[in-house]
Amino acid sequence: MIIIMLGAPGTGKGTVAGILQEKKGFKQISTGDIFRKNIKEQTELGKIADSYISKGNLVPDDITVELVKSVLDNEDIEKGIILDGFPRTINQAEELDKYLKSKDNKVDLVVNLTTPEKEIIERIVNRRVCSNQECKTVYNLVLNPPKVPDICDKCGSKLIQRDDDNEETVKARFENYTKQTSSLIEYYDKKGILFNAVVSKEINKLGADVARDVIEHIDNMKKR
């Protein structure tokens, strides 16, 4: 099964995807992780991506597609994958469809998460991530703090705040996301594979709650 996680930064895509990976065994592939790895290693594509990300802008389609395809080429798609943060435009979606078709595969489910902007800002500025790349557990200092400050509960590694997890960059990313991906939601809705969910403390529904709903939906899909 191939699942796509849609949602603005801070809506909980990583949390939901992480639970699906743990419970269903699907491999989580985060576009953000792909970008950060290439930026850290100073690859040519990574340098280009960084010039956009550092300003709160979305990376151009051609660069994003090539980075994602370079990772997918080395993955066993048949075992199931979760694409977190990709695609973000119609062009990216169409390129992904072409790529999967060449592998005799297709997107099975698209989970679209929405959260009020004020909550997104609060979440991201308080977000901390495990520095261990084999773990990458995400915490929130307000909603889901670690038991020991700055230390990951699962592996004991140091928690870090990403450079782009600040209010100014978050607002720019949210605005860009809304402008560029609204048509993408319609694209997958027409295909009949869209699953909408609200993640918000105002309705007492967070990432773990939505993940349970998604798992139930997947199980029902398999029964059809």
Side-chain angles (χ1 to χ4, degrees):
M1 174 172 278
I2 297 176
I3 300 172
I4 290 173
M5 299 295 304
L6 290 183
T11 52
K13 297 188 303 296
T15 298
V16 175
I19 293 173
L20 291 178
Q21 178 174 255
E22 178 184 352
K23 300 296 184 181
K24 305 299 288 185
F26 302 138
K27 175 70 177 292
Q28 179 185 359
I29 299 175
S30 166
T31 310
D33 287 343
I34 295 173
F35 286 152
R36 281 184 283 275
K37 181 176 185 295
N38 279 268
I39 290 171
K40 182 179 181 180
E41 295 177 356
Q42 286 290 285
T43 66
E44 288 305 311
L45 289 175
K47 292 176 183 178
I48 297 174
D50 188 38
S51 68
Y52 290 89
I53 293 173
S54 61
K55 297 175 183 176
N57 297 321
L58 295 179
V59 179
D61 287 350
D62 56 339
I63 302 300
T64 301
V65 169
E66 288 307 311
L67 282 169
V68 173
K69 286 170 67 175
S70 69
V71 173
L72 291 179
D73 282 340
N74 296 312
E75 294 291 340
D76 186 352
I77 296 178
E78 296 299 328
K79 290 185 178 180
I81 59 173
I82 305 168
L83 289 173
D84 173 6
F86 178 89
R88 283 184 172 172
T89 66
I90 295 295
N91 182 54
Q92 290 180 11
E94 291 174 342
E95 288 300 316
L96 176 62
D97 285 344
K98 291 177 184 177
Y99 173 84
L100 292 177
K101 187 176 181 180
S102 71
K103 304 286 186 180
D104 294 321
N105 220 316
K106 62 181 176 61
V107 175
D108 298 290
L109 176 65
V110 178
V111 179
N112 179 45
L113 306 180
T114 58
T115 300
E117 183 180 5
K118 64 179 181 179
E119 284 193 45
I120 287 177
I121 294 172
E122 180 183 2
R123 281 183 193 172
I124 292 184
V125 298
N126 286 291
R127 181 167 63 188
R128 298 295 183 270
V129 184
C130 180
S131 57
N132 179 0
Q133 289 302 299
E134 297 299 319
C135 179
K136 298 184 293 187
T137 301
V138 179
Y139 297 86
N140 184 286
L141 299 183
V142 177
L143 299 174
N144 178 37
K147 295 176 182 177
V148 178
D150 300 322
I151 299 298
C152 178
D153 294 346
K154 293 186 176 181
C155 71
S157 298
K158 182 178 177 57
L159 301 183
I160 59 174
Q161 182 177 29
R162 294 169 180 163
D163 292 338
D164 54 350
D165 281 355
N166 59 78
E167 186 170 344
E168 182 179 357
T169 302
V170 171
K171 286 183 175 180
R173 289 164 67 194
F174 183 83
E175 183 178 352
N176 282 329
Y177 177 86
T178 302
K179 287 180 179 178
Q180 296 193 26
T181 58
S182 58
S183 58
L184 187 60
I185 295 171
E186 183 180 356
Y187 176 84
Y188 285 119
D189 191 25
K190 288 181 177 178
K191 288 178 175 287
I193 56 175
L194 189 68
F195 181 92
N196 291 302
V198 178
V199 182
S200 173
K201 63 182 181 182
E202 292 182 354
I203 61 172
N204 197 31
K205 198 153 196 174
L206 301 180
D209 304 304
V210 171
R212 285 194 291 270
D213 292 343
V214 174
I215 290 173
E216 182 179 353
H217 182 72
I218 290 173
D219 290 342
N220 288 334
M221 287 174 62
K222 292 180 178 180
K223 293 177 183 178
R224 295 170 188 166

